[in-house]
Structure formats: structure tokens, C-alpha cells
Amino acid sequence: MSIPDADLTAAGLALNVEGAVATVTLSRPDRRNAMTPAMWRGLARIGAEIPDHVRVVVVRGAGPSFCAGIDLRMFTAEGVPGEPRNPDPREPGFDERIAGFQAGYMWLRSPSFVSVAAVQGHAIGAGFQLALACDLRVLADDARLCMKEPALGLVPDLTGTKPLVEIVGLARAVELCLTARTVGAAEAAQLRLAELVVPAAELDAAVSDLVAGLLSTDTAAARETKALLRQAAGNTLEQQAAAERAAQARLLRARTSG
Ligand code: ACO
């Protein structure tokens, strides 16, 4: 990948690609990995440049918290050094600016790889939405999830509302967002917001085990299968059955022609 380490560091990110596994680390532990537009742009850039051979992307946070959400200085008069103020809908380009932030989250759904959030401590607002953008979530037992935006007079707009509803259902999503309450790891597991909850000291090992399992299946089959699963909810049974046939044909054709 051609992203200079210095650019990633300036954005509060670190990236390590080892074989088929890319690990993206939010690296502003002194601010609990609070997110700035630079960090969202950096995530989008990683997504745009992720090598084809990568099959698993792990997203993690350095320090005690996965991510404390948007850098709250964005809402102050002094702002975040080097960044324009928070987008104002009265100014042109508002929609494009938010779409640019969302690009930092969208790529994690790519069928090319499975994305795994490794969450310890707090995942608040934009940070909770980052965990929701991943296909799978492994939580440490000290994890605390909160969709804080409505409490701050905002809507969650970093692609988190769709996965939240898909995972917990509409009623629970309304309750979680409109109370902005904090969900602990045990409840997160009950609500299926976590595939796995482990003691905090075992988070890295549990993620490594999961990654090994994900790498044990055939690459092309895994990619076609993730694409199928992601479209299933929006398809009728007949459409999904047709999509399965088409995927199988593509897969087998590619194998015999390669
Ligand atoms: N933005 C900017 N700075 C932050 C943020 C944030 N979101 N979160 C933490 N920090 C800073 C703190 O100001 C503090 O800085 P300091 O050392 O200069 O005083 C440092 O990170 C450590 O924070 P603490 O509060 O001391 O850490 P603690 O582990 O006790 O608490 C917690 C962590 C719960 C995450 C707390 O910091 C917090 O509530 N942060 C704000 C969360 C928030 O409201 N985020 C916005 C959500 S909405 C959205 O994302 C769109």
C-alpha cells in the first residue's frame, strides 16, 4: 500500500498488513481514540487501497477504549487544529462532506474480506458506529457501547443505523438510540451485538483465533458467500435462490478457467 506511515500517524491511525490480514488501529489513546475528519479520511483511504489479497480486516483501538466517538473539540469554537469546523448545512457541500466521513465506514462491508471489530472499553457514538460497520464484533468483558448522538442533538450519521436495526431489531434500536444508554458486554452478547465476549486480557488471542478460522475457508468461496449473505435481507426467496445459482456458476467457472 502506498499510504505513507506519517500520513496515517497524523490521522491518528496505524496500519499493519501481514499476509492476508490487515489490522487498522485507532491510535490516539490519550484522547481515547476520539475521531476527527482526518481519521475518517484516513480510514477511507485505507479502504480504497487495501490490497486484493487481504481477506480479514481487524479494526482495533489502542489503549483502554476502542473509541470515544467524535472529537468533541469539533463542537467548540476553537475546533480541531487543521480541520474546518463541523459541517454546516447552510453552507454548500454539506451533504458531500458527510458522505466523505461515511466513506471511512462504508468500505468495511466489502465482500473481499471479513471485517472484525475488537472492542475493549468504550465504543461511543462514531466509535460504536465503527464497530457496527464491521461484519463481526469481538468484545472484551469491559466493553461499553453507547449511541450517544441523540443525547448531543445529533442523529447517528456514520452508517450505523442500518446495521443496528438489522442486528437488534427496530424496537430495541429505537430504545438504545433514543435513551442513549450504555450497553455492557453481557447485554451486547444477548442482543447479538457481540459474536463473542472474552476477558479483556484475552481479546487479542480471541481475535487471532477467529481470524484463523476465517482464513481456513476457500478465498473465492468466502468472497462470493459474504456477497450472498449481505444481499439476503433485501431479496425475496426467489431472488436469493437465483443469486445463489449465479454465484455458484461464477465460482465454478472461475475455478475451471483458472
Ligand atoms: N473528544 C475529545 N477528547 C476526548 C474524547 C472525545 N470524544 N473522549 C475523551 N477525550 C479526552 C478527554 O478529554 C481526556 O483528555 P485530558 O487527558 O486532556 O483531560 C482524555 O481523552 C481521557 O479521557 P477521560 O475522560 O479522562 O477517560 P476515561 O477513560 O475516564 O473516560 C470516556 C473515557 C467515557 C470515553 C470519556 O472520555 C467520555 O465520555 N468521552 C466523551 C464521549 C462522547 O460524548 N463522545 C461523542 C459521542 S457522539 C459522536 O461520536 C458523534
Side-chain angles (χ1 to χ4, degrees):
M1 288 176 75
S2 62
I3 311 176
D5 281 348
D7 288 8
L8 290 170
T9 305
L13 293 167
L15 173 68
N16 178 46
V17 181
E18 225 174 290
V21 183
T23 302
V24 180
T25 304
L26 311 182
S27 302
R28 301 178 71 215
D30 51 319
R31 289 215 166 249
R32 303 298 182 261
N33 302 318
M35 302 178 101
T36 60
M39 193 183 271
W40 293 324
R41 286 192 297 272
L43 287 170
R45 194 166 163 198
I46 291 171
E49 296 195 23
I50 205 98
D52 266 359
H53 68 267
V54 166
R55 291 196 52 201
V56 180
V57 173
V58 176
V59 180
R60 57 191 293 281
S65 291
F66 176 71
C67 175
I70 192 170
D71 191 317
L72 290 170
R73 290 176 305 170
M74 291 289 289
F75 301 128
T76 63
E78 86 244 12
V80 172
E83 292 285 356
R85 278 200 60 254
N86 229 13
D88 181 338
R90 290 165 301 191
E91 290 163 7
F94 177 82
D95 196 71
E96 291 78 1
R97 228 178 133 211
I98 306 272
F101 299 165
Q102 290 172 332
Y105 292 67
M106 293 291 276
W107 64 279
L108 290 159
R109 281 84 171 188
S110 165
S112 269
F113 48 76
V114 178
S115 49
V116 179
V119 180
Q120 81 287 3
H122 289 92
I124 303 179
F128 184 18
Q129 294 189 71
L130 185 65
L132 285 166
C134 292
D135 297 309
L136 306 174
R137 282 152 292 281
V138 180
L139 266 53
D141 54 8
D142 67 350
R144 296 173 69 72
L145 314 177
C146 173
M147 199 66 94
K148 185 84 174 278
E149 285 83 346
L152 300 178
L154 298 166
V155 300
D157 66 352
L158 294 166
T159 79
T161 56
K162 187 170 168 63
L164 184 66
V165 170
E166 287 169 350
I167 295 167
V168 304
L170 175 59
R172 183 61 69 192
V174 168
E175 185 264 325
L176 291 180
C177 292
L178 275 60
T179 62
R181 75 175 170 89
T182 297
V183 174
E187 185 186 2
Q190 266 174 14
L191 294 177
R192 303 194 180 181
L193 285 165
E195 275 51 63
L196 193 63
V197 175
V198 296
E202 293 168 24
L203 183 62
D204 289 347
V207 170
S208 295
D209 285 352
L210 176 60
V211 168
L214 291 166
L215 293 178
S216 70
T217 50
D218 177 78
T219 302
R223 287 175 170 162
E224 285 286 4
T225 303
K226 179 174 165 185
L228 268 178
L229 294 172
R230 286 209 74 94
Q231 62 183 282
N235 277 347
T236 63
L237 178 59
E238 288 70 24
Q239 288 168 332
Q240 186 68 8
E244 289 174 359
R245 296 193 297 275
Q248 198 74 288
R250 237 183 346 261
L251 188 62
L252 297 178
R253 211 177 294 124
R255 196 161 299 148
T256 47
S257 68

